[in-house]
Amino acid sequence: MSTKIPRDAQNDYTPEIAAARRGFVAQHTGASLETVGNYAIAPAACAGNIENFIGCAQVPIGIAGPLRVNGEYAQGDFYVPLATTEGTLVASYNRGIKLVSEAGGVLTTVSEDIMQRSPSFIFDNAREARAFREWVAEHFAEIKAVADATSSVGRLRDIDPYASNKFMFLRFNYTTGDAAGQNMVSKATHAACEWIRANYPKLRHYYLESNFSTDKKHSAINVLRTRGKRVTAECTIPRDLLIQRMRVSPEQLRHARAMSMTGAFIVGANSNGSHVANAVAALFIATGQDLGNVAESSAATSFIEVTDSGDFYISLTIPALIVATYGGGTGLPTQQECLALLGCQGKGNAKKLAEITAALALAGDLSLASAITAEEWVTAHEKYGRNR
Amino acid sequence: MSTKIPRDAQNDYTPEIAAARRGFVAQHTGASLETVGNYAIAPAACAGNIENFIGCAQVPIGIAGPLRVNGEYAQGDFYVPLATTEGTLVASYNRGIKLVSEAGGVLTTVSEDIMQRSPSFIFDNAREARAFREWVAEHFAEIKAVADATSSVGRLRDIDPYASNKFMFLRFNYTTGDAAGQNMVSKATHAACEWIRANYPKLRHYYLESNFSTDKKHSAINVLRTRGKRVTAECTIPRDLLIQRMRVSPEQLRHARAMSMTGAFIVGANSNGSHVANAVAALFIATGQDLGNVAESSAATSFIEVTDSGDFYISLTIPALIVATYGGGTGLPTQQECLALLGCQGKGNAKKLAEITAALALAGDLSLASAITAEEWVTAHEKYGRNR
Amino acid sequence: MSTKIPRDAQNDYTPEIAAARRGFVAQHTGASLETVGNYAIAPAACAGNIENFIGCAQVPIGIAGPLRVNGEYAQGDFYVPLATTEGTLVASYNRGIKLVSEAGGVLTTVSEDIMQRSPSFIFDNAREARAFREWVAEHFAEIKAVADATSSVGRLRDIDPYASNKFMFLRFNYTTGDAAGQNMVSKATHAACEWIRANYPKLRHYYLESNFSTDKKHSAINVLRTRGKRVTAECTIPRDLLIQRMRVSPEQLRHARAMSMTGAFIVGANSNGSHVANAVAALFIATGQDLGNVAESSAATSFIEVTDSGDFYISLTIPALIVATYGGGTGLPTQQECLALLGCQGKGNAKKLAEITAALALAGDLSLASAITAEEWVTAHEKYGRNR
Amino acid sequence: MSTKIPRDAQNDYTPEIAAARRGFVAQHTGASLETVGNYAIAPAACAGNIENFIGCAQVPIGIAGPLRVNGEYAQGDFYVPLATTEGTLVASYNRGIKLVSEAGGVLTTVSEDIMQRSPSFIFDNAREARAFREWVAEHFAEIKAVADATSSVGRLRDIDPYASNKFMFLRFNYTTGDAAGQNMVSKATHAACEWIRANYPKLRHYYLESNFSTDKKHSAINVLRTRGKRVTAECTIPRDLLIQRMRVSPEQLRHARAMSMTGAFIVGANSNGSHVANAVAALFIATGQDLGNVAESSAATSFIEVTDSGDFYISLTIPALIVATYGGGTGLPTQQECLALLGCQGKGNAKKLAEITAALALAGDLSLASAITAEEWVTAHEKYGRNR
């Protein structure tokens, strides 16, 4: 019995070859893949998104909303599709959504939008590396021309250099339109590096990446310098509304947040918010984002205060939110529908989606922080979840 | 036109109410949710996993393997279901899988298995907080009895105290069987805290969580002290095999890894590996894990060396891998099938799944590191991916 | 002309050989070392503290106080010697000292006291490393006997294991009396490791240190698990007193601290306080501590709140404060005098010194935070400092 | 008996008032300060460096060298004064110095030189903060003019903006000649901020500092973006020389370094080198630097490799080294002499001093790493140190 997964040399994205693969693994493992095979999308639509296609994971979607967003791109009330298997999550976000919307909605701001590839350049010594930095600055226009020629969308914005040891790490910052852009910037930076190699003889070697980007990882550099969108959500909740809806006062929340900000500082957490990763992951699955990017997109900085009038101001900055409305998994059927639900289908909508994500994350953080503070957290899970 | 999402007071998990909700949002947004509504699972099966169910996200699954794992729980050849929308990912992992399997397979070891809830206890001053720590140590048996009584599975193993300011943060470490256990430990710790409150009058206040766990976040404490499973994958690739399959020598890989380990150190990345988050996310979606946990489960420590005989040793430790084979989303239909494919369905299999995940991550890191080193990375994406 | 620094084979710690060395370098460099040579201590007293002795650096000491400390070891009013060359520093600390003392003094608490050496143990694979961890736990008594036999003071308290890759890092935690103890724990752990090597044949190799301690470095592990003393200082400043003395209200300080705690979180600082390192460094020089330890002893966690009665509570935890009153530089003449000034001379006083240090740091942080908030910071430097 | 430390309204820097203060504290504490009072410098020379002067700490200085440095500023053989009380330190550095000098010396490179003050600006919301960033960019010339007018030396080079929540943190980067410059940049930035406040009505509030600089603290931002000098030291040690002098082979050192780099990564250390803080602290005391800056100046990135010819390459980058040859404590007598010894007295020499510091740190790291690897570390301390 062969252990080689079946392939179809002519057309590898047909229901037949997918079925053949399911049969193959069933034969090898005894596992039926009936429901996996009962998918609703054309295999051909998956070319470019997957290899060795066998069917689909079906992840339940719950709807939350309406979430009022006062963004520059997202304006109005949104029904948000959340794909998750974690009971209570949709209910908890919905509770926060209701509150922030009643409070007038969430103000959202995208303050940065760049995608990186960060090659490392190796020299004989640090002095050569430093000289190279000067040369790059002088030849930026030529490097940019080479990089930009590789795509109709990606544009090299600037090159941010970091010297260490006998290396120069160059953070190539691109705008990538409404695509997440990781592949686009790889291709562009590869071309730029090859041009550099041809034109800078003292270069000993380069690697297209040496963990300086940092793709699929949380890092201090991403928090400081942005990867993807840097987006902030803000809301002021009137005092009485907060007390009525959440059974906590602004002062109680301030006290609890002081503790959780302190805790986050001591343990070196990548977020001093509550559970941004939940909003990000649920929206990412629904809308066809790259789930590996939850690593960097889960970082967040929360800030709260009680206003002079006794109301509760809360804000949340996600410094490395990677979302796309074009490319990657965004073109697949259920993902397209969920993007359409948010009015975020296709080009021109990536920042809109970033704003909605941040507003959603804020609502969820407010909900969870309130529940912990009001000591209703465990009770909520007993009501909605599986308690396992 | 009401903005209130339809609910069914009698049975909120029926095809009818799901359809009603899709109709409702279609009315509000103009978006069709036809494919979302064309799901293959019974809505009733989702109770406890989702609220306001409207249908399913369909995420393509590709099959990779056979991956040979020499674990204590995972032993043999595995066909691994990867749910992703990122082109090239399955192909790249498969390339690494082929290599490590040819090399004899991946040795895997689970060296720790604990889940936390970490309440903060507030006192009048640091001295009172310190006294409380002593009291907790003396009353551990009673606290454990209270915590353990809340579930048939979760067992309080120990309490790890951290003093700061006038607070005592207690990290309650539990074994939770084959469930991820976050809700289980919340309930148990809540009961323990209430007992403490009743029996320790000098306690001023406590919060069930203050970002000390740290759930849905990367943190230094999770890397050091484990959250979920601490699992290591190792493999030695014979020199000639590496050169033949990857077109790189052990020495070239060592050079490239030295650079990427340096890069990771400088930028403060949560992994000095290549792209662990990709393996984690793709397997998490397929098998019904909590995708928010990609935040902590993406942390990794890679170590490589060229052996005395010139072969290439690579290992990877994931210190906070949160996987379950029971509870949460693991019971849903496509997720059950994918778990069955791995022989990881139901109780007794969580460590097996952890071992497979680590082996997979190692294979993928080896593949990507080789591609970058051999300068074939961009080319691979041009062949398989969408290049956007 | 020889380039070899003169040595005296019989007695290398005499005024004559020190003078000969000064003459030698003067000959080589043209630099006079007259004041360096005009020291007030007997060279013989420096044996064990320095090699190639040529004289002394003279660092000005300013006196601050009286600082009221309500510690368990430090009780009463202290005049604190601060050795520094930074204008304004003594004045600024004195301002804070006056305030906290008027407020009734600083409550101090030492909640932990351990010194580490953390060898790394290398095995064939992770499974062997894990087995070793069990073996160490089972043989703790024997290991402790070997370690404790190396000194009359150092006592192995526990061994804290960390598994990664095919390694086991063991953090040997010792109590070291009133010495800082780094050499003591090196010697003890070396003996323990040699015993382990003799008794655990599967061990491939060990290193006495692999940056896991982490000596002379800031690290997350020190913040979490303590190195040296974990000490907390606390004070509540009556509202009116704060306003009168510092020209800021509790609410203004709260606002400013919220900002600086947020800043520290974003940039990944090792302290969210103000300038703990200044207190630590100035007291370290004066009292003969190891100045390289400023690296770890500068980490701090600050927490403030406005009390229900409108007063200002501030606390500061230094999690890795390394101070000694015995051994190292503490026995030198000016250092002995400064220790005597604090009643911290010799054995039995290390925790007392830790308490005074933390109280001092709190006072200085309060002073600087107030100055920044009241916008008097630059003005103060113009008055007292050199403005360069 | 008054508790007020004596002051002299006319001239507070005389031997008499210093003696009066010593008498005062002797009366209060019973401690004699005879040796503290037996100082060799004129109290008047300390005005601007200290308040409440009582005398001097005398810290032994040992001489090491000759250290061969092949820098751009430091060229030749240097005798290095190390002020420390830690036995073995000078001997260990000397051992490393001898080796790197025999190997031809240390190549040093300063690749960056900037000092910061980083005010935080608070707005009504994130959108206003973002607009402010644009305004600052447009008005850079005016802001620079205001900042530069405050000093004859400090020059605003650029403003690096960081957006978070409703704040804009601006990192003002200055060149400050041969002064460390912290006070200089405070004054300049204060002036700039006041100008901004007057010209940007939408600004709600600003703080001159909110832990974004980060002075007297280690931080990720300093490692990435430089504070003070970013300086690299490099050396290639011929294989046979290494083996002969250190009793370790390049391959053994590579193995040990792989472990210590892994350890540093796991524990989140601010250096993956060996003990940079020791070099920094000892040279700082001797030459009149600000010892509080050991906090940031102890961060380092080490990189090693075995060359194709089997030799050992080692390099070390200190990304936030704060050294001055002018201002602060550098003008005091023993400090001036030690600077003169290095040919670093006065203006034009700060980069030279930075190069020497880095070369020294490299030598010491090489010595300690070799000792640990050759298992001679504990033995060395038994020979030279006090073993306490």
Side-chain angles (χ1 to χ4, degrees):
Chain A
M1 183 163 77
S2 165
T3 62
K4 220 172 129 99
I5 297 167
R7 305 259 317 153
D8 183 319
Q10 300 308 309
N11 182 353
D12 206 44
Y13 292 91
T14 62
E16 291 72 25
I17 185 67
R21 289 191 191 111
R22 292 195 303 276
F24 166 84
V25 295
Q27 207 181 353
H28 276 273
T29 66
S32 154
L33 293 174
E34 196 182 338
T35 320
V36 168
N38 191 6
Y39 49 83
I41 66 178
C46 298
N49 291 110
I50 195 93
E51 296 85 44
N52 292 348
F53 176 79
I54 60 167
C56 287
Q58 302 215 358
V59 184
I61 299 176
I63 194 86
L67 167 62
R68 179 154 292 182
V69 184
N70 305 316
E72 290 174 302
Y73 304 93
Q75 294 178 339
D77 294 332
F78 295 88
Y79 289 94
V80 186
L82 297 170
T84 183
T85 60
E86 302 308 307
T88 315
L89 193 148
V90 174
S92 175
Y93 274 84
N94 222 6
R95 193 173 84 116
I97 285 172
K98 192 173 172 187
L99 178 61
V100 297
S101 299
E102 278 192 271
V106 182
L107 186 74
T108 56
T109 306
V110 175
S111 60
E112 191 59 275
D113 181 16
I114 41 172
M115 178 49 61
Q116 293 81 27
R117 187 54 62 203
S118 306
S120 59
F121 297 86
I122 303 172
F123 296 89
D124 284 348
N125 54 55
R127 224 172 279 170
E128 294 290 351
R130 190 188 59 187
F132 174 65
R133 186 178 61 189
E134 306 311 311
W135 184 87
V136 167
E138 287 161 13
H139 293 77
F140 176 73
E142 291 154 274
I143 295 168
K144 176 177 168 55
V146 172
D148 289 358
T150 60
S151 115
S152 59
V153 176
R155 292 295 170 259
L156 181 59
R157 199 192 69 177
D158 63 88
I159 297 176
D160 192 14
Y162 294 82
S164 195
N165 307 83
K166 59 179 178 176
F167 318 123
M168 189 59 64
F169 297 92
L170 297 183
R171 207 162 144 99
F172 281 69
N173 289 314
Y174 294 87
T175 54
T176 61
D178 292 280
Q182 288 105 323
N183 294 341
M184 193 190 287
V185 303
S186 293
K187 194 177 171 185
T189 309
H190 182 249
C193 287
E194 287 297 306
W195 183 87
I196 289 169
R197 169 144 66 181
N199 288 277
Y200 199 79
K202 287 191 164 179
L203 176 63
R204 284 291 157 262
H205 197 71
Y206 83 86
Y207 293 108
L208 192 50
E209 186 57 67
S210 293
N211 272 343
F212 226 87
S213 279
T214 46
D215 197 34
K216 313 292 164 69
K217 298 168 199 82
H218 163 70
S219 70
I221 204 172
N222 285 348
V223 169
L224 290 170
R225 308 295 288 169
T226 306
R227 180 167 173 83
K229 272 75 176 167
R230 176 176 289 258
V231 57
T232 296
E234 301 171 89
C235 192
T236 299
I237 315 292
R239 180 183 194 79
D240 293 345
L241 187 66
L242 180 71
I243 294 171
Q244 188 185 342
R245 292 279 181 270
M246 296 294 180
R247 285 168 296 279
V248 290
S249 68
E251 289 76 16
Q252 283 176 304
L253 267 190
R254 177 173 64 195
H255 190 259
R257 296 301 292 155
M259 291 301 298
S260 60
M261 289 176 185
T262 301
F265 180 76
I266 297 172
V267 301
N270 74 345
S271 166
N272 61 4
S274 296
H275 62 145
V276 168
N278 275 335
V280 165
L283 208 52
F284 272 26
I285 300 176
T287 61
Q289 312 301 320
D290 185 343
L291 269 293
N293 289 136
V294 172
E296 54 259 66
S297 300
S298 58
T301 303
S302 175
F303 185 86
I304 62 96
E305 63 188 3
V306 181
T307 68
D308 290 344
S309 49
D311 300 324
F312 186 72
Y313 167 85
I314 180 169
S315 66
L316 191 72
T317 294
I318 306 179
L321 179 66
I322 302 176
V323 289
T325 57
Y326 179 77
T330 62
L332 293 171
T334 63
Q335 291 79 351
Q336 277 276 304
E337 290 176 5
C338 287
L339 285 168
L341 186 58
L342 297 167
C344 288
Q345 224 176 347
K347 297 196 177 181
N349 286 313
K351 287 181 182 172
K352 184 179 181 183
L353 183 57
E355 290 187 333
I356 294 169
T357 307
L360 175 72
L362 183 86
D365 265 27
L366 185 54
S367 177
L368 178 54
S370 298
I372 293 177
T373 309
E375 302 185 23
E376 296 169 344
W377 186 23
V378 170
T379 323
H381 271 275
E382 296 207 336
K383 184 172 170 196
Y384 291 108
R386 290 185 182 274
N387 274 307
R388 289 182 296 208
Chain B
M1 184 163 76
S2 163
T3 62
K4 217 169 132 98
I5 297 168
R7 305 253 325 149
D8 183 318
Q10 299 308 310
N11 182 354
D12 205 45
Y13 292 92
T14 62
E16 291 71 26
I17 185 69
R21 289 189 190 113
R22 291 194 305 276
F24 167 84
V25 295
Q27 207 182 352
H28 276 274
T29 66
S32 154
L33 292 174
E34 195 181 339
T35 320
V36 167
N38 191 5
Y39 49 84
I41 67 178
C46 298
N49 290 111
I50 195 92
E51 296 85 44
N52 293 348
F53 177 79
I54 60 167
C56 288
Q58 302 215 359
V59 183
I61 299 176
I63 195 87
L67 167 63
R68 179 155 291 183
V69 184
N70 305 317
E72 291 173 302
Y73 305 93
Q75 294 179 340
D77 294 333
F78 295 88
Y79 290 94
V80 186
L82 298 170
T84 182
T85 60
E86 301 307 306
T88 315
L89 193 149
V90 175
S92 175
Y93 274 84
N94 222 7
R95 195 173 83 117
I97 285 171
K98 193 174 172 185
L99 179 61
V100 296
S101 299
E102 277 193 90
V106 181
L107 186 74
T108 56
T109 306
V110 175
S111 59
E112 191 59 273
D113 181 16
I114 40 172
M115 178 49 62
Q116 294 81 27
R117 186 54 62 204
S118 307
S120 58
F121 297 86
I122 304 172
F123 295 90
D124 284 348
N125 54 54
R127 223 172 281 170
E128 295 289 350
R130 190 188 58 186
F132 174 65
R133 184 178 62 190
E134 305 312 311
W135 183 86
V136 167
E138 288 160 14
H139 293 76
F140 176 73
E142 291 154 275
I143 295 169
K144 176 175 166 57
V146 172
D148 289 359
T150 60
S151 116
S152 59
V153 175
R155 291 294 168 261
L156 182 59
R157 200 192 66 176
D158 63 88
I159 298 176
D160 193 15
Y162 294 83
S164 196
N165 307 83
K166 58 179 177 176
F167 319 124
M168 189 58 64
F169 296 93
L170 296 184
R171 206 162 145 98
F172 282 68
N173 288 315
Y174 294 86
T175 55
T176 61
D178 293 280
Q182 289 105 323
N183 293 342
M184 193 190 290
V185 304
S186 293
K187 193 176 170 185
T189 309
H190 181 249
C193 288
E194 288 297 305
W195 183 87
I196 288 169
R197 169 146 62 184
N199 287 277
Y200 200 78
K202 287 190 163 181
L203 176 63
R204 284 292 156 261
H205 196 72
Y206 84 86
Y207 292 108
L208 192 50
E209 187 56 69
S210 292
N211 271 343
F212 225 88
S213 280
T214 46
D215 197 35
K216 313 295 164 68
K217 296 170 200 83
H218 163 70
S219 69
I221 204 172
N222 285 347
V223 169
L224 290 169
R225 308 295 289 171
T226 307
R227 180 169 172 81
K229 271 77 176 166
R230 176 176 289 257
V231 57
T232 296
E234 301 171 88
C235 192
T236 299
I237 316 290
R239 179 181 194 83
D240 293 345
L241 187 66
L242 180 70
I243 295 170
Q244 189 186 341
R245 292 280 182 270
M246 296 295 180
R247 286 169 296 279
V248 291
S249 69
E251 290 76 16
Q252 283 176 304
L253 267 189
R254 177 173 63 196
H255 191 259
R257 297 300 293 153
M259 292 301 298
S260 60
M261 287 177 187
T262 302
F265 180 76
I266 297 171
V267 302
N270 73 345
S271 167
N272 62 2
S274 296
H275 62 144
V276 168
N278 275 336
V280 166
L283 208 51
F284 272 25
I285 300 176
T287 61
Q289 311 302 319
D290 185 343
L291 268 294
N293 289 136
V294 172
E296 54 259 67
S297 300
S298 58
T301 304
S302 175
F303 184 86
I304 63 96
E305 63 188 1
V306 181
T307 69
D308 290 344
S309 50
D311 301 325
F312 186 72
Y313 167 85
I314 180 169
S315 66
L316 190 73
T317 294
I318 307 179
L321 180 65
I322 301 176
V323 289
T325 58
Y326 179 76
T330 63
L332 292 171
T334 63
Q335 290 79 350
Q336 277 276 303
E337 290 177 5
C338 288
L339 285 168
L341 187 57
L342 297 167
C344 289
Q345 225 176 344
K347 298 197 176 179
N349 287 312
K351 288 181 182 172
K352 184 179 181 182
L353 183 56
E355 290 187 332
I356 295 169
T357 307
L360 175 73
L362 183 86
D365 266 27
L366 186 54
S367 177
L368 178 53
S370 298
I372 293 177
T373 310
E375 303 186 21
E376 296 170 345
W377 184 24
V378 169
T379 323
H381 271 276
E382 296 207 337
K383 183 172 169 195
Y384 291 107
R386 290 187 181 274
N387 276 306
R388 290 183 295 208
Chain C
M1 185 164 75
S2 164
T3 62
K4 219 171 130 94
I5 297 167
R7 306 256 319 151
D8 184 317
Q10 299 308 310
N11 183 354
D12 207 43
Y13 292 92
T14 62
E16 291 72 26
I17 185 69
R21 289 192 190 112
R22 291 195 305 276
F24 166 84
V25 296
Q27 206 181 356
H28 276 273
T29 67
S32 153
L33 293 174
E34 194 182 337
T35 320
V36 167
N38 191 4
Y39 49 85
I41 66 179
C46 298
N49 290 112
I50 195 91
E51 296 84 44
N52 293 348
F53 176 79
I54 59 167
C56 287
Q58 301 214 359
V59 183
I61 299 176
I63 195 85
L67 167 62
R68 178 155 292 183
V69 184
N70 306 316
E72 291 173 300
Y73 305 92
Q75 294 178 341
D77 293 333
F78 295 88
Y79 290 94
V80 186
L82 298 170
T84 182
T85 61
E86 301 308 306
T88 314
L89 194 148
V90 174
S92 176
Y93 274 84
N94 223 6
R95 194 173 83 117
I97 284 171
K98 193 173 172 188
L99 178 62
V100 296
S101 299
E102 278 193 90
V106 181
L107 185 74
T108 56
T109 306
V110 175
S111 59
E112 191 60 273
D113 181 15
I114 40 172
M115 179 48 62
Q116 295 80 28
R117 186 53 63 204
S118 307
S120 59
F121 297 86
I122 304 174
F123 295 90
D124 284 347
N125 54 56
R127 224 171 281 171
E128 294 289 351
R130 191 188 57 188
F132 174 65
R133 185 178 61 190
E134 305 311 311
W135 183 86
V136 167
E138 287 161 13
H139 293 75
F140 176 73
E142 290 155 276
I143 295 169
K144 175 175 168 55
V146 172
D148 289 358
T150 60
S151 116
S152 60
V153 175
R155 291 296 169 259
L156 181 59
R157 200 192 67 177
D158 63 88
I159 298 176
D160 192 15
Y162 294 82
S164 195
N165 307 82
K166 58 179 177 175
F167 319 124
M168 188 60 63
F169 297 92
L170 296 183
R171 207 162 145 99
F172 282 68
N173 288 315
Y174 294 86
T175 54
T176 62
D178 292 280
Q182 288 105 324
N183 294 342
M184 193 190 289
V185 304
S186 293
K187 193 177 172 185
T189 309
H190 182 248
C193 288
E194 287 298 304
W195 183 87
I196 288 170
R197 170 145 62 183
N199 287 277
Y200 200 79
K202 288 192 163 179
L203 176 63
R204 285 291 155 264
H205 197 72
Y206 83 86
Y207 293 108
L208 191 51
E209 188 55 70
S210 293
N211 271 343
F212 225 88
S213 278
T214 47
D215 197 35
K216 311 293 163 70
K217 298 169 198 83
H218 163 70
S219 70
I221 203 171
N222 285 348
V223 169
L224 290 170
R225 308 295 288 170
T226 306
R227 181 167 172 81
K229 272 74 175 167
R230 176 175 289 258
V231 56
T232 295
E234 302 170 87
C235 192
T236 297
I237 315 292
R239 180 183 194 81
D240 292 345
L241 187 66
L242 180 70
I243 294 171
Q244 188 186 341
R245 293 279 181 270
M246 297 294 179
R247 286 168 297 278
V248 290
S249 69
E251 290 75 17
Q252 283 176 304
L253 267 191
R254 177 172 64 195
H255 191 259
R257 295 301 293 152
M259 291 302 297
S260 61
M261 288 176 186
T262 301
F265 180 76
I266 296 172
V267 302
N270 73 346
S271 167
N272 63 3
S274 296
H275 62 145
V276 168
N278 276 335
V280 165
L283 207 50
F284 272 25
I285 299 177
T287 61
Q289 311 301 320
D290 185 343
L291 270 294
N293 289 137
V294 172
E296 55 259 65
S297 299
S298 59
T301 303
S302 175
F303 184 86
I304 62 96
E305 63 188 2
V306 181
T307 68
D308 290 344
S309 49
D311 301 324
F312 186 72
Y313 167 85
I314 180 169
S315 66
L316 190 72
T317 294
I318 306 178
L321 179 65
I322 302 176
V323 289
T325 57
Y326 179 76
T330 61
L332 293 170
T334 63
Q335 291 78 351
Q336 277 275 305
E337 290 177 5
C338 287
L339 285 168
L341 187 57
L342 297 167
C344 289
Q345 224 176 347
K347 296 196 177 179
N349 287 313
K351 288 182 182 171
K352 184 178 180 183
L353 183 56
E355 290 187 331
I356 294 169
T357 308
L360 175 72
L362 183 86
D365 265 28
L366 185 55
S367 177
L368 178 53
S370 298
I372 293 177
T373 308
E375 302 186 22
E376 296 169 345
W377 186 25
V378 169
T379 322
H381 271 275
E382 297 207 336
K383 182 170 172 198
Y384 291 107
R386 290 188 181 274
N387 274 306
R388 290 182 296 210
Chain D
M1 183 165 75
S2 165
T3 62
K4 220 170 132 99
I5 297 167
R7 305 254 324 149
D8 183 318
Q10 299 308 310
N11 182 355
D12 205 44
Y13 292 91
T14 62
E16 291 72 25
I17 184 69
R21 288 191 191 112
R22 291 196 302 278
F24 166 84
V25 295
Q27 206 182 354
H28 276 274
T29 68
S32 153
L33 293 174
E34 193 181 341
T35 321
V36 168
N38 191 4
Y39 49 83
I41 66 178
C46 298
N49 290 112
I50 195 91
E51 297 84 45
N52 292 349
F53 176 79
I54 58 167
C56 287
Q58 302 215 359
V59 184
I61 299 177
I63 195 86
L67 167 63
R68 178 155 292 182
V69 184
N70 305 317
E72 291 173 301
Y73 305 92
Q75 294 178 341
D77 294 332
F78 295 88
Y79 290 94
V80 186
L82 297 170
T84 182
T85 60
E86 302 306 307
T88 315
L89 194 148
V90 175
S92 175
Y93 274 84
N94 221 8
R95 194 174 83 116
I97 284 171
K98 192 173 173 188
L99 179 61
V100 297
S101 299
E102 277 193 271
V106 182
L107 185 74
T108 55
T109 307
V110 175
S111 59
E112 191 60 273
D113 181 15
I114 39 173
M115 180 47 63
Q116 295 80 27
R117 186 53 61 205
S118 307
S120 59
F121 297 87
I122 304 173
F123 295 90
D124 284 348
N125 54 54
R127 224 172 279 170
E128 294 289 351
R130 191 187 58 188
F132 174 66
R133 185 178 61 189
E134 305 311 312
W135 183 86
V136 167
E138 288 161 13
H139 293 77
F140 176 73
E142 291 154 276
I143 295 169
K144 177 176 167 55
V146 171
D148 289 359
T150 60
S151 116
S152 60
V153 176
R155 291 295 169 260
L156 181 60
R157 199 192 69 177
D158 63 88
I159 297 176
D160 192 13
Y162 294 82
S164 194
N165 306 83
K166 59 179 178 176
F167 319 123
M168 189 59 64
F169 297 91
L170 296 184
R171 206 162 146 99
F172 281 68
N173 288 315
Y174 295 85
T175 54
T176 61
D178 291 280
Q182 288 104 322
N183 293 342
M184 194 190 288
V185 303
S186 292
K187 194 177 171 185
T189 308
H190 181 247
C193 287
E194 288 298 305
W195 184 87
I196 288 169
R197 171 146 61 183
N199 286 276
Y200 200 79
K202 286 191 164 180
L203 176 62
R204 284 292 156 262
H205 196 72
Y206 82 86
Y207 293 107
L208 191 50
E209 187 56 69
S210 294
N211 271 343
F212 224 87
S213 279
T214 44
D215 196 35
K216 313 292 164 69
K217 297 168 200 85
H218 163 69
S219 69
I221 204 171
N222 285 348
V223 169
L224 290 169
R225 309 295 288 170
T226 307
R227 179 166 173 82
K229 272 75 175 166
R230 176 176 290 258
V231 58
T232 296
E234 301 170 89
C235 191
T236 299
I237 316 292
R239 178 182 194 82
D240 293 345
L241 187 65
L242 180 70
I243 294 171
Q244 189 185 339
R245 292 279 182 270
M246 297 293 179
R247 286 170 295 279
V248 292
S249 69
E251 290 76 15
Q252 284 176 303
L253 267 189
R254 176 173 65 197
H255 191 259
R257 295 301 292 152
M259 291 302 298
S260 62
M261 288 177 185
T262 301
F265 180 77
I266 296 172
V267 303
N270 73 344
S271 166
N272 63 3
S274 295
H275 61 144
V276 168
N278 275 335
V280 165
L283 209 50
F284 273 26
I285 299 176
T287 61
Q289 312 300 320
D290 185 343
L291 269 293
N293 289 136
V294 172
E296 53 259 65
S297 299
S298 59
T301 303
S302 174
F303 184 86
I304 63 96
E305 64 189 1
V306 181
T307 68
D308 290 345
S309 50
D311 300 325
F312 186 72
Y313 167 85
I314 180 168
S315 66
L316 191 72
T317 294
I318 307 179
L321 180 65
I322 302 176
V323 289
T325 57
Y326 180 76
T330 63
L332 292 171
T334 64
Q335 291 78 350
Q336 277 276 303
E337 290 177 5
C338 288
L339 285 168
L341 187 58
L342 298 167
C344 287
Q345 225 176 344
K347 297 196 177 180
N349 286 313
K351 288 181 182 171
K352 185 179 181 183
L353 183 56
E355 290 187 332
I356 294 169
T357 307
L360 175 73
L362 183 86
D365 265 28
L366 185 54
S367 177
L368 178 53
S370 298
I372 293 177
T373 309
E375 302 185 22
E376 296 169 346
W377 186 24
V378 169
T379 322
H381 271 275
E382 297 206 337
K383 184 170 169 198
Y384 293 107
R386 289 186 183 271
N387 274 306
R388 291 182 295 208

